Amino acid sequence: MNPFVILCIDQDPFVVEQLSHDLAPFRDVFDLCSAETPDDAYTMLDDFEANEQQVALLICHNLAGDHQGIDLLVNVDNHAASQGARTVLLSEAPQYDIILQAVNEGRLNYCMHKPWRAEEMQRVAEKELTTYVLRYCQHDLLRYTEVLDHRTLLDAQVEREISQFQAQLLAPGETDKAAIADRVIAGLYAFFEGNDESRACRTYSANHVLTKENQDNAFLWFITDGDVGLYKTDDEGQEHHVSTLSSGSLIGSMSFVTGDVSFSTGRTLTRTQVIKIDHALFSKIMTSRSELLPLFIQYLLLHFNQRLKRSIDTEIQLQQTLASLDEANRQLLEKEKMALLGQLVAGVAHELNNPVSAILRNSDALADALEEVAKTPLASASREQALSLLQTNRESTPLSTATARTYTRTLSDVTGDKRIARDLVNIGLYQPEDIQAWQQHLGKAFSRELTTWKQYARCGRLLRSNHVCAARIADLVKSLRTYARQDSEQRQRTRIIENIDDTLTLFEHRLKPHQLEKRYDWVPDIIAQPSALAQVWTNLIANALDAMQTPGTLTVTVKTLNDQASGTIEVSISDTGTGMTPEQQEKMFALNYTTKREGHFGLGIGLTMCQTIIHEQGGDIQVRSQPGIGTTMAVTLPIELPASVSKEPQR
């Protein structure tokens, strides 16, 4: 039994049989019923109401001199089972007064004379039923696309889903993570109900390992009941319990999203129920239950935010513990580093926002384009061309405006249509001979095929954009990790230019008002502690930027001194800032001395720390400065460590 009904009313059994035959294509999604008289129809309406069915299309014959048929059409909205039904009047001869009455009452949608052609009846039924379904079907429009106006219904379905996604994603954020988790988990259980072939819904006993530290993880685990402990292993191989997660929490989210190895080991503490999802299953769920996607994004952001807060709290507690065990100078050095790291994180977070936002927008647009691609069949040759265009747009950079205009003018002469020519250039198909061959091969279908090719090309461009944004995010994360990680005791071969560029990446937000000049010569790798050097560059660059109160120029120079075998490398960082007096230069390496302006954090230990690190590397640091002109900090490092500080490099 279908939710919507087509009701035909005519006393002539041959007419009813003809209607049944002509409307047969709609039987799969509409119940087709008939009545001899309007009185019979009213009885059937009561039955429809009891069965929770609605009349979508009412086809009624009106006998000359008898107004029962027209009265039924006029009063169709008065019955709950036929409210809003589309109406078609059948007549054997023009009955203008009857038609005029129905039109004036606003209840006649179409009038058809007997006999009619089957294709006319089907065309009218398709149009009227499409109108009805668009207005009254609040669920899946896609079930009607096979028999009704599929293009209109597909567009409406896409628009509904986009609107729903935007409304949920852009709505004021719900901060109750437990409530959001309950909604996500309820949606997942609804998806798997009666269809859990992958056995995603599982129950584990205590001590079952879900994720293992530093190993690949391909799953996302939703805890629906029970407790899971997270464990980290220290350098000595001792495992430590760091957190307990309960119902509504996620396990393996970071490694699942980024592809990195698991950060910790997750082990069930009690009998635990979980939903275990891999990437393919996740994609399937989000495709079939699109309303879960914005909810899941909100849930994931809250989860990451909570994890970040927990990590910050843990880091603070750790620093407090270390501070109580270390001597005063080391405490101050660590605080300086953390202060700089906090400033860098703020800038990096700002820089991450743009590529993340672009990926979200591109993903939305890519979903639309893929839907169009998936539902449009192509012949073999045309599909090969479409895939080629997708790959071309994914790999190549856009044409310059001038070049695109030149191609467009050329193709306008070939196609005779400037708009088509512009579309061809935009998708990367601008060789006249190729286009002429396709026009000859496809004929009138060329424009239709071009529309589909445009979607393939759009997919390629969106994939390329996402790749660029993802590479940008990876660069920022890599640079931040290089600075933030702790060095091992062993030194290692270090690419000094890469080490400096990683640090500069962290300052891109602060560098925007200024001009950056890089003057790099080729230099060999040196033996050093890369994160210790990153601390040096971070302090020197931060000082240089602080000194430039107005837009200026930051110059970073890297070159070799003497010969490569026994010489040194010089790294100089110059600014066009306020400069320093000779008295200030004499005191600048003294502990607790600072010239920071108000609003810039400084404990007066940054340069002391830099000098200490450089000396430990067997190098030296010097300053050249003039008030009102600027400052240059020159660091020299040995290519090969002196014997007094030499250690075996870490390969």
Side-chain angles (χ1 to χ4, degrees), residues 113-124:
H113 298 299
K114 298 179 180 180
W116 63 83
R117 298 188 307 277
E119 57 271 19
E120 179 186 10
M121 176 61 71
Q122 292 170 359
R123 177 182 59 80
V124 171

Side-chain angles (χ1 to χ4, degrees), residues 10-11 61-69 90 92 95 98:
D10 199 300
Q11 293 180 337
H61 174 68
N62 191 81
L63 295 174
D66 185 354
H67 289 188
Q68 282 188 314
L90 299 178
E92 297 176 348
Q95 302 179 51
I98 299 300

